[in-house]
């Protein structure tokens, strides 16, 4: 992190500084105080980290932020009205201090994979950084920006949300040069009311777009396509189904795909030209994510060879899109999150797996769907009937998934309210050479069902 003064922090946050300090770290955790750190306490529903300012000072904090105007501290202090907003404002000022370009990315499905692909492509030419893990909210995003330095040429910043206004506040801090919106699904529809509401919330990312910035939109999404001429900025579109997009792709049976420049003005790839790329992860939905990364790469001046190399370098790991063989089974572990759109995309991949065996969809309930929960789960069940041979559904909406699967013609569909029982039944039914997809919302912990099925130790 670059050094900054408490006076600069006061200017960025519109706060009042008492005392002077030169700082080179910001932390919100009183248990971890780096050298020359500014401690910024946050207040949650059940706690107020202001109560730990004394602990932070004792741990070596060089200065503190506080919204308690009547309290004095033994170290320099910055007084603000709201520390959560101050964190965003501080990150915004620091982002401007560092310079460099920021690529903001949001969307209902695929934003984390797209973030990783964007980083993989950008890192081929630039000193690049990215959002680590899933730090994509109003705390994680500013902490991501505060990791920049003057050496950072490109920062890929993911922005997630549950409610209106969240992306608006984040983009005001990030001030992206390029803003990518992957799609408009049904995630968080419980809070946003409709897909139109979700679209409006995602488009908030453009509010912070820097002058001359570009929106990179999925042109296969009608809600985005129809608004492309009304956004007040340059718009670049990409898609698989809409041939009018600036960038499209043609898929081949060997897993490669041709990226075609239909109308994007780029220095390194003329209009009408194209190049071939390949991903290590399957699925047309991931080719769509790759197109977003390719569009950004071209806008940044990267060559087709650099873009192709970046796309090829990405490797899935952990609980996202991880396909591997174990105990004779082909496992597709995608347990980090779920929505009806993501369920359909991953089930389509399952449909291509294990040509000599059967395909099992082991699906957990999807959260935050509100009034759309029943239909969303029936839709997932219908998709399971299309791509899988059997459905093992778990969670409060398992019955709706089973009902959808049976309506789609699947006979082997069962609902469970206990993962151990699900795993035991699956162990009896699945045979070596079969493919199994484990997917569900984070709260369903479908990685636990996978571990139980494989006979591994699980944490309660």
């Amino acid at each position: 992190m670059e050094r900054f003064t408490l006076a600069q922090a006061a200017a960025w946050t519109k706060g009042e500084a008492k005392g002077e300090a030169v700082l080179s770290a910001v932390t919100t955790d009183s248990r971890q105080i780096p050298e020359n750190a500014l401690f910024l306490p946050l207040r949650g529903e059940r706690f107020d980290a202001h109560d730990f300012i004394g602990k932070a000072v004792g741990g070596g904090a060089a200065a503190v932020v506080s919204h308690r105007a009547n309290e004095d501290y033994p170290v320099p202090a910055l007084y603000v009205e709201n520390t959560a907003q101050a964190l965003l404002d501080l990150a915004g000022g620091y982002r401007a201090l560092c310079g460099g370009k920021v690529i903001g990315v949001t969307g209902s499905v695929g934003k984390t994979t797209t973030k990783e692909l964007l980083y993989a492509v950008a890192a081929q030419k630039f000193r690049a950084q990215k959002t680590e893990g899933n730090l994509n909210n109003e705390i994680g995003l500013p902490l991501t920006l505060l990791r920049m330095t003057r050496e950072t040429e490109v920062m890929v910043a993911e922005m997630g949300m549950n409610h209106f206004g969240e992306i608006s506040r984040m983009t005001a801090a990030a001030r992206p040069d390029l803003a990518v919106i992957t799609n408009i699904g049904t995630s968080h529809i419980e809070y946003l009311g409709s897909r139109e509401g979700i679209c409006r919330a995602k488009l908030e990312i453009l509010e912070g777009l820097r002058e001359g910035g570009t929106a990179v939109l999925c042109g296969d999404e009608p809600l985005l396509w129809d608004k492309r001429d009304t956004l007040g900025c340059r718009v670049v579109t990409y898609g698989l189904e809409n041939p009018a997009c600036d960038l499209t792709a043609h898929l081949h049976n060997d897993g490669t795909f041709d990226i075609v420049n239909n109308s994007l003005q780029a220095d390194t790839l003329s209009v009408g030209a194209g190049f071939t790329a390949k991903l290590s992860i399957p699925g047309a939905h991931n080719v769509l994510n790759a197109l977003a990364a390719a569009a950004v790469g071209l806008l940044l001046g990267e060559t087709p060879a650099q873009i192709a190399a970046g796309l090829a370098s990405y490797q899935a790991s952990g609980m996202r899109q991880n396909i591997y063989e174990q105990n004779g089974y082909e496992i597709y572990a995608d347990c980090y999150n779920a929505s009806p759109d993501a369920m359909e995309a991953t089930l389509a991949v399952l449909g291509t797996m294990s040509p000599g065996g059967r395909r099992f969809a082991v699906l957990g309930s999807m959260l935050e769907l509100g009034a759309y929960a029943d239909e969303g789960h029936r839709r997932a069940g219908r998709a399971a009937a299309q791509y899988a041979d059997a459905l093992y559904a778990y969670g409060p909406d398992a019955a709706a998934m089973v009902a959808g699967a049976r309506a789609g013609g699947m006979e082997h569909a069962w609902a469970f309210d206990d993962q151990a029982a699900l795993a035991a039944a699956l162990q009896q039914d699945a045979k070596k050479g079969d493919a199994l997809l484990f997917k569900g919302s984070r709260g369903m912990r479908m990685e636990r069902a996978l571990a139980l099925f494989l006979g591994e130790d699980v944490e309660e």
Side-chain angles (χ1 to χ4, degrees), residues 93-441:
Y94 180 79
R95 178 260 186 274
L97 173 72
C98 290
K101 293 183 181 296
V102 171
I103 304 168
V105 57
T106 191
S108 295
V109 179
K111 59 182 174 291
T112 298
T113 300
T114 303
K115 176 256 296 185
E116 296 291 339
L117 290 169
L118 286 164
Y119 170 77
V121 167
Q124 297 299 308
K125 181 177 180 179
F126 303 100
R127 291 185 294 272
Q129 292 178 275
K130 63 178 179 177
T131 299
E132 295 297 338
N134 205 42
L135 296 176
N136 63 2
N137 60 17
E138 291 184 80
I139 299 173
L141 181 278
L143 292 176
T144 294
L145 297 176
L146 289 167
R147 289 176 44 243
M148 296 177 72
T149 71
R150 287 190 173 91
E151 299 298 313
T152 304
E153 294 178 300
V154 174
M155 169 63 81
V156 183
E158 180 181 343
M159 302 183 201
M161 59 88 205
N162 296 327
H163 299 84
F164 290 113
E166 291 175 350
I167 289 181
S168 178
R169 291 186 287 272
M170 285 186 278
T171 193
R175 295 300 310 277
D177 299 88
L178 300 167
V180 179
I181 304 180
T182 62
N183 49 41
I184 306 299
T186 51
S187 300
H188 315 303
I189 200 168
E190 176 180 5
Y191 306 116
L192 301 171
S194 65
R195 289 187 70 247
E196 289 76 9
I198 294 169
C199 182
R200 192 164 70 252
K202 298 299 184 186
L203 285 169
E204 289 176 2
I205 195 172
L206 303 182
E207 295 175 10
L209 199 64
R210 297 182 78 180
E211 186 176 354
T214 301
V216 180
L217 309 179
C218 177
D220 288 348
E221 170 52 66
L223 288 175
L224 294 174
W225 181 258
D226 292 344
K227 293 178 174 61
R228 70 191 188 284
D229 294 328
T230 66
L231 300 177
C233 63
R234 181 187 181 188
V235 174
V236 169
T237 58
Y238 64 91
L240 292 177
E241 300 173 359
N242 184 349
C245 288
D246 295 306
L247 216 62
T248 56
H250 300 305
L251 282 61
H252 303 300
N253 293 332
D254 64 356
T256 64
F257 51 95
D258 294 330
I259 295 175
V260 181
N261 182 5
N262 298 313
S263 50
L264 174 60
Q265 298 300 314
D267 293 336
T268 57
L269 185 67
S270 59
V271 173
F275 62 97
T276 301
K278 188 172 184 177
L279 293 171
S280 64
I281 49 177
H285 61 296
N286 284 317
V287 175
L288 202 57
N289 297 334
L291 277 176
V296 168
L298 290 171
L299 290 168
L300 292 175
E302 294 191 77
T303 66
Q306 290 170 327
I307 294 168
L311 295 177
S313 71
Y314 170 68
Q315 297 289 327
S317 62
M319 292 184 289
R320 292 185 187 274
Q321 303 188 81
N322 196 6
I323 298 178
Y324 58 96
E325 289 188 12
Q326 186 169 342
N327 299 355
Y329 304 104
E330 193 172 5
I331 305 295
Y332 186 3
D334 194 14
C335 306
Y336 198 85
N337 215 335
S339 68
D341 305 282
M343 283 287 196
E344 287 193 8
T346 49
L347 284 164
V349 173
L350 176 66
T352 68
M353 296 170 61
S354 187
R358 295 173 299 163
R359 303 175 182 96
F360 291 81
V362 188
L363 307 181
S365 291
M366 300 171 285
L367 306 180
E368 298 184 357
L369 294 182
Y372 187 68
D374 185 73
E375 174 53 29
H377 285 88
R378 288 176 184 270
R379 174 182 162 192
R382 294 192 295 269
Q386 181 179 355
Y387 296 111
D389 299 297
L391 169 65
Y392 285 68
Y394 166 74
D397 299 287
M401 269 194 279
V402 168
R406 291 181 175 162
M410 177 184 279
E411 296 181 4
H412 302 289
W414 298 274
F416 296 85
D417 58 10
D418 178 78
Q419 287 189 344
L422 182 156
L426 189 58
Q427 287 169 342
Q428 293 294 316
D429 200 6
K431 308 298 181 187
K432 308 297 184 186
D434 290 342
L436 301 95
L437 165 66
F438 289 79
K439 186 169 181 64
S441 279

Side-chain angles (χ1 to χ4, degrees), residues 1 4-23 25-27 37-42 50 53 57 61-94 146:
M1 187 178 187
F4 65 98
T5 66
L6 193 66
Q8 286 176 302
W12 296 336
T13 60
K14 297 181 173 61
E16 180 184 358
K18 292 186 178 180
E20 299 178 357
V22 177
L23 306 159
V26 176
T27 182
L38 174 66
F39 174 62
L40 192 152
L42 297 171
H50 284 73
I53 288 179
V57 172
V64 300
V65 182
S66 177
H67 62 220
R68 295 178 175 176
N70 296 324
E71 288 191 3
D72 293 320
Y73 304 102
V75 296
L78 172 60
Y79 294 89
V80 298
E81 290 187 7
N82 181 294
T83 54
Q85 183 60 51
L87 178 60
L88 287 161
D89 293 338
L90 181 70
Y94 180 79
L146 289 167

